[in-house]
Structures are given as structure tokens and as C-alpha cells.
Amino acid sequence: MSYLPLCHIVLQHQYFSDGLAQQLRLVPAAQTQRHLQNAQLLVKPTKQGAVLLLDTSRRDIAAVCCEPVLTLYFWLYSDDPQFGSYSLPVLQAQQLVYCDNRAPVPDDAALRLHPQPELGSAEVTGADDARLAGVLPPGGKPLPSLVLALDITAAQIQQLTPDNTRSYLLRFACRQSVWRYYLCGSAFAQPLRIQDMTQQTRFIQQNDTRLANGRVAQVFDSAQPLKLQQFSPYRFQLITTAHGSEKILIKRLPVAVAGQIDKAVVNGVASNVSEIYLNY
């Protein structure tokens, strides 16, 4: 047997520091598993996502199976329970993302399978979408986060060489939220402000609030939503003012992490908010 890559499936995610999506599995749909076996095609996971391989010693068989076109469906699952808390687009119950390779967009050396740089609401659909009839897992099984439909043609099989392998790209964006700091404790008795060391993010002090434990906290909100990332690049300091001079009270404030997002009203607007509590 001699295998050639027919196409690479590259899964990227802005949340991760290396840009590659983690803990994702691409699983052939039930009918696609039979098509792969009949066409002598093999799917293998890679660090970047997955690769679809052609057994060149069975090229003629594969070409016949793909005449004139064979559509393969793949389910994408995440093994990270926090995936939805840091990923865009946001999915509601019975929703998933759908992509195919019928109108790819060049993206460096790859072909992106969505019009915008990242997956968005345009790719979100319902489980009752007619394009997915007979494709989704049977009732009672969890829905995938994404369904990928790949058209493979007989011509593509016949003309495949090591130099014309295709790379299909799917790129997830990371969620953004207003970061809200609750500062509670005697160390915060003096006037405070939060400073971005890069001077790109501004924080607004809101009215003090009483927490569930009865203590009063000072509240600071970021003036704009900030990205949630695996290793956050943000560097915020807490500055206090006493007797006309400033000093750094906390050199680097903790950052928001996945799973903290909630809904709240910020300056009269319903917003995604990540709450961070400090007690000194």
C-alpha cells in the first residue's frame, strides 16, 4: 500500500496560543464510514486536525466510487467541557455549525471553508436543516458542534499527486466579554484605578455593590469586551493613590478564564461579563 494525502483538514482556534484547536475529534458520519471503506480512503487524526488518505494502489476503485462526486460527512466533537464558554459562534440547543467545500476561500496556502476569517453566525444552523437529513447521529446521541461536508470527485482522485493535495481550513474565534473586577477588603480602602501596561484597555469604576456574603466591593468594568485566551496577553495593574502619590498595589491582576462568562447589564446594555473577585 502507498498512501497519498487527498486533503488535509486544518482546525484552528484563536483561543489557543499556537492557533491550533485542541481536544477536537473529527468523526466520519455512519454512512460516510461505509463510503470510505468502499473507496479505500482512510482518515487519520493529525496535530492540525485530520488528513484524508488515498491508497494509490486502489486509485481506480476510489475513482469509480467518486464518479462523478462523492460527498463525505464528518462530525466535529470537542472533548473539552469548557469549549462552548470560550468559542464562537455561540450555539443554542439543537444548533450546530455547517460547512462544506463548495465555495472555498483562499487563505494563505489553505482553502477556508467559510467566507469570513472566522466561523460566525452565518454558518450556524438547526438540526432540522434539510442539508443534514440522514446525516446526524440517531436520536438520543449528542449533536456534534460542527458538520463538515466534503465533495470528492473522480477527477480529483485520478489527478492526485504529492503536489496538489488540498488543505481545508476551519477557524474558530474566541469569545469576548466585559471583564468585571470586584475588589473587597481593607487593602482597597484608598482610591483605586486599574491600569493597562500597554495603555490599550481602559477600565471604568462603577458604583460599589454589596456581595452575597454581605461585604461591599468596589467594581471596575473594562470599557470594551476583551478576548478570552488560553494564555492571556493582558497585563493589568491595580494602582492606589495615597497622600497625592501613586503606587502599585498589585503588579499583575488575575485574568478572566473559560467558564466565567455570565450575562449582566453594563451601562444599560445587556453584555457578556466575566467576573473576577479579589479579597485583600
Side-chain angles (χ1 to χ4, degrees), residues 9-13 16 20-29 33 43-51 73-81 83 86 97 137 141-148 170 172:
I9 302 167
V10 180
L11 305 174
Q12 296 183 352
H13 202 306
F16 296 101
L20 296 177
Q22 298 178 16
Q23 298 190 63
L24 293 182
R25 290 181 291 115
L26 205 62
V27 180
Q33 293 181 29
V43 179
K44 299 198 76 172
T46 67
K47 182 180 179 181
Q48 292 188 322
V51 60
Y73 293 93
F74 298 90
W75 303 328
L76 186 69
Y77 290 98
S78 174
D79 293 325
D80 184 354
F83 179 75
Y86 58 74
V97 175
K141 300 287 186 179
L143 280 179
S145 298
L146 180 146
V147 169
L148 172 61
L170 297 169
F172 290 90

Side-chain angles (χ1 to χ4, degrees), residues 19-224:
L20 296 177
Q22 298 178 16
Q23 298 190 63
L24 293 182
R25 290 181 291 115
L26 205 62
V27 180
Q31 189 176 19
T32 290
Q33 293 181 29
R34 295 191 291 273
H35 290 322
L36 291 171
Q37 186 175 11
N38 293 338
Q40 302 296 305
L41 299 175
L42 183 65
V43 179
K44 299 198 76 172
T46 67
K47 182 180 179 181
Q48 292 188 322
V51 60
L52 182 61
L53 298 165
L54 167 69
D55 181 357
T56 55
S57 67
R58 308 286 182 88
R59 190 189 295 258
D60 291 345
I61 295 174
V64 169
C65 292
C66 296
E67 180 64 47
V69 61
L70 174 65
T71 302
L72 303 174
Y73 293 93
F74 298 90
W75 303 328
L76 186 69
Y77 290 98
S78 174
D79 293 325
D80 184 354
Q82 298 288 357
F83 179 75
S85 72
Y86 58 74
S87 301
L88 289 177
V90 176
L91 300 177
Q92 306 301 325
Q94 295 300 300
Q95 285 187 331
L96 66 158
V97 175
Y98 173 84
C99 292
D100 59 46
N101 65 338
R102 288 157 196 167
V105 179
D107 190 307
D108 292 332
L111 295 171
R112 194 174 68 240
L113 302 187
H114 38 91
Q116 299 303 314
E118 293 85 29
L119 290 162
S121 58
E123 287 74 51
V124 175
T125 188
D128 56 354
D129 189 322
R131 295 173 297 180
L132 302 176
V135 172
L136 295 177
K141 300 287 186 179
L143 280 179
S145 298
L146 180 146
V147 169
L148 172 61
L150 292 182
D151 285 348
I152 308 296
T153 65
Q156 186 180 350
I157 296 290
Q158 293 164 342
Q159 298 167 10
L160 181 66
T161 71
D163 299 322
N164 62 6
T165 297
R166 301 177 185 182
S167 289
Y168 294 125
L169 171 63
L170 297 169
R171 183 184 292 128
F172 290 90
C174 55
R175 292 185 71 175
Q176 300 185 31
S177 62
V178 172
W179 290 18
R180 172 171 290 176
Y181 286 91
Y182 292 92
L183 309 179
C184 184
S186 57
F188 302 138
Q190 301 296 332
L192 301 171
R193 68 181 180 89
I194 296 177
Q195 173 178 279
D196 179 7
M197 295 179 67
T198 65
Q199 299 184 346
Q200 294 180 346
T201 303
R202 184 169 61 92
F203 280 83
I204 301 170
Q205 185 166 10
Q206 308 287 9
N207 294 331
D208 292 357
T209 189
R210 188 172 297 277
L211 303 178
N213 61 7
R215 304 189 69 181
V216 174
Q218 297 185 58
V219 181
F220 290 83
D221 288 341
S222 61
Q224 68 274 352

